[in-house]
Amino acid sequence: MLPWKRVLRPLTALLLTAAVVAVPAATAQASTASSSGWNDYDCRPSATHPHPVVLVHGTFANSTDNWLALAPYLVARGYCVFSLDYGQLPGVPLVYGLGPIDKSAEQLQTYVDTVLAATGAAKADLVGHSQGGMMPRYYLKFLGGAAKVNTFVGIAPDNHGTTLDGLTKLLPYFPGAEDVISAAAPGLADQIAGSAFLAKLNAGGDTVPGVHYTVIATRYDEVVTPYSSQFLSGSDVHNVLIQNLCSVDLSEHALLGLTDRIAFHEVANALDPAHATTTNCLSALS
């Protein structure tokens, strides 16, 4: 075994272990979500908000911890809100988004069908963070999701992959490195700029007809770099740089999806454009 492989394997294991330790066990309990007003399968969408909202977490996250702020924010505004876990690896509890992304998209497909059946709605809206802001595009493009989704909002999504500030550009210099990463966490390898998964996802255009797309990015993103790679091209796309709405917003990749109420306000605008209001620094207080 090459020396770098002996280093990479334990580093990958350490990364997974650290992620598990960092997530409180309580966040894995679905009851936490339902008691906070979301994942309530008795909820029926209103005429004002006819589409249930499905929240799609990011890598190393889960259906609760990624949405402790945004889910109640949307529930308080009258939405039926749901969230799923996807991409779990065997033997890795609490953290998700690590499995092959095409298989994760199949899990999303099943979950959206479940939500639509429970609520009686014809279509859902999707809001995702990080990987969750990119993975649903596979569902929309290849698994029939465009017929079941009205609006898709991606918060800090890695739509065209990430180089992690160029670190992944080193991989070609270490033959077999990507294979090791793929074996440990294929969902990570799929997100590397230039991966076969992303080539398939983005071939022939970023979007599909019939879905309204919004992308919300921050110039301080340290995970999906460059931040401009998050933006989509298409006829029904609204790309938002959060600092253009509030220049003093310093949120980076994680905080943009976890706590940033300015971003949340823009999510609400995307979900209900007919009643959209101006997003600015004061939106942090709304």
Side-chain angles (χ1 to χ4, degrees), residues 85-278:
D85 290 317
Y86 69 86
Q88 186 178 27
L89 291 179
V92 182
L94 303 182
V95 294
Y96 297 81
L98 302 174
I101 297 181
D102 57 346
K103 300 303 180 184
S104 294
E106 293 176 2
Q107 296 172 36
L108 175 62
Q109 176 187 27
T110 299
Y111 188 77
V112 170
D113 286 347
T114 298
V115 168
L116 294 180
T119 60
K123 290 188 175 184
D125 290 330
L126 305 180
V127 179
H129 179 218
S130 193
Q131 181 189 160
M134 173 271 289
M135 176 270 280
R137 292 179 50 224
Y138 191 95
Y139 162 58
L140 298 176
K141 193 170 187 177
F142 298 110
L143 301 176
K148 300 177 181 180
V149 173
N150 181 66
T151 296
F152 175 36
V153 183
I155 304 172
D158 50 350
N159 280 315
H160 299 95
T162 177
T163 65
L164 293 174
D165 279 330
L167 291 179
T168 60
K169 292 181 180 178
L170 296 174
L171 290 177
Y173 296 96
F174 301 98
E178 291 192 53
D179 293 338
V180 174
I181 293 175
S182 295
L188 297 180
D190 284 345
Q191 295 177 74
I192 295 174
S195 71
F197 172 83
L198 288 169
K200 178 180 179 180
L201 177 64
N202 293 315
D206 291 344
T207 63
V208 294
V211 180
H212 310 296
Y213 294 82
T214 292
V215 174
I216 303 171
T218 171
R219 70 169 69 253
Y220 301 114
D221 199 311
E222 80 289 16
V223 175
V224 183
T225 55
Y227 73 83
S228 57
S229 70
Q230 300 174 28
F231 295 141
L232 297 172
S233 297
S235 60
D236 197 352
V237 173
H238 181 47
N239 290 315
V240 178
L241 181 63
I242 203 72
Q243 282 75 32
N244 288 342
L245 305 178
C246 177
S247 62
V248 296
D249 190 326
L250 301 180
S251 290
E252 41 66 74
H253 181 83
L255 292 183
L256 193 70
L258 295 177
T259 63
D260 193 322
R261 291 178 70 91
I262 298 171
F264 295 175
H265 188 271
E266 197 63 9
V267 169
N269 280 348
L271 296 177
D272 188 7
H275 300 95
T277 57
T278 300

Side-chain angles (χ1 to χ4, degrees), residues 3 9 15 44 46 48 62 66 82 167 179 185 188 194 220 223 235 262 270 281:
R9 284 200 175 100
L15 183 60
R44 295 295 177 265
S46 65
T48 304
N62 61 50
N66 211 144
F82 301 86
L167 291 179
D179 293 338
L188 297 180
Y220 301 114
V223 175
S235 60
I262 298 171
C281 294

Side-chain angles (χ1 to χ4, degrees), residues 52-77:
V53 178
V54 174
L55 303 178
V56 189
H57 64 73
T59 308
F60 295 122
N62 61 50
S63 60
T64 302
D65 68 1
N66 211 144
W67 308 118
L68 290 172
L70 180 57
Y73 180 96
L74 294 175
V75 168
R77 284 154 179 77

